[in-house]
Amino acid sequence: MFFGMYRMKSVRQVAVIEAVIDVGEDSPAKILWRNVGTPDAELVSLAIDERNRLRPGSPPHRFFLLGQLHETNFMKTTKGGMRPPKQYFDVEKLAPIDAADLAEKLRGKSWSNY
């Protein structure tokens, strides 16, 4: 439901994942997952626009359409970089009402708490 952007040993921003969409060059775009009531056509259009803006003529890509980014500081306190390249946290126990609330609840916390 939420996406955190990691940089320099900390998740610095979080946002709601509005949708995950695969966009190909010749095949129709496919919505894999959605978290908002936005019509399919609008979500697909946003993903195609982003592909055309960021990677024109590129092979198929998966796009995460994100809501507004909210600043936080959710720190990795262990040695070394992030391995594997994706890390998942169950934030359900924090009961966030939205990304802004989650950002506030994570601010100043460390990964070792999870």
Side-chain angles (χ1 to χ4, degrees):
M1 181 167 189
F2 299 101
F3 185 87
M5 294 186 190
Y6 175 83
R7 189 175 133 240
M8 295 173 29
K9 295 188 60 101
S10 182
V11 173
R12 305 285 178 166
Q13 297 176 311
V14 295
V16 167
I17 302 170
E18 294 183 348
V20 178
I21 303 174
D22 280 349
V23 179
E25 189 62 34
D26 298 322
S27 59
K30 180 179 178 185
I31 297 175
L32 302 174
W33 186 84
R34 65 180 311 118
N35 192 36
V36 293
T38 307
D40 287 359
E42 188 176 334
L43 292 172
V44 166
S45 179
L46 287 168
I48 290 171
D49 289 349
E50 284 301 296
R51 194 268 324 260
N52 292 339
R53 184 176 73 83
L54 298 171
R55 301 190 184 278
S58 68
H61 275 78
R62 178 161 291 159
F63 286 86
F64 284 67
L65 298 180
L66 303 177
Q68 181 180 352
L69 293 167
H70 298 275
E71 298 292 326
T72 193
N73 188 22
F74 184 42
M75 301 165 283
K76 179 182 180 298
T77 55
T78 57
K79 232 177 135 176
M82 191 168 74
R83 295 285 186 255
K86 294 178 186 172
Q87 181 72 41
Y88 296 91
F89 294 95
D90 181 359
V91 296
E92 187 176 355
K93 65 184 173 185
L94 299 175
I97 56 173
D98 57 22
D101 184 47
L102 178 60
E104 182 60 36
K105 289 175 176 176
L106 291 176
R107 191 170 291 117
K109 302 279 191 299
S110 71
W111 293 17
S112 60
N113 298 118
Y114 294 87

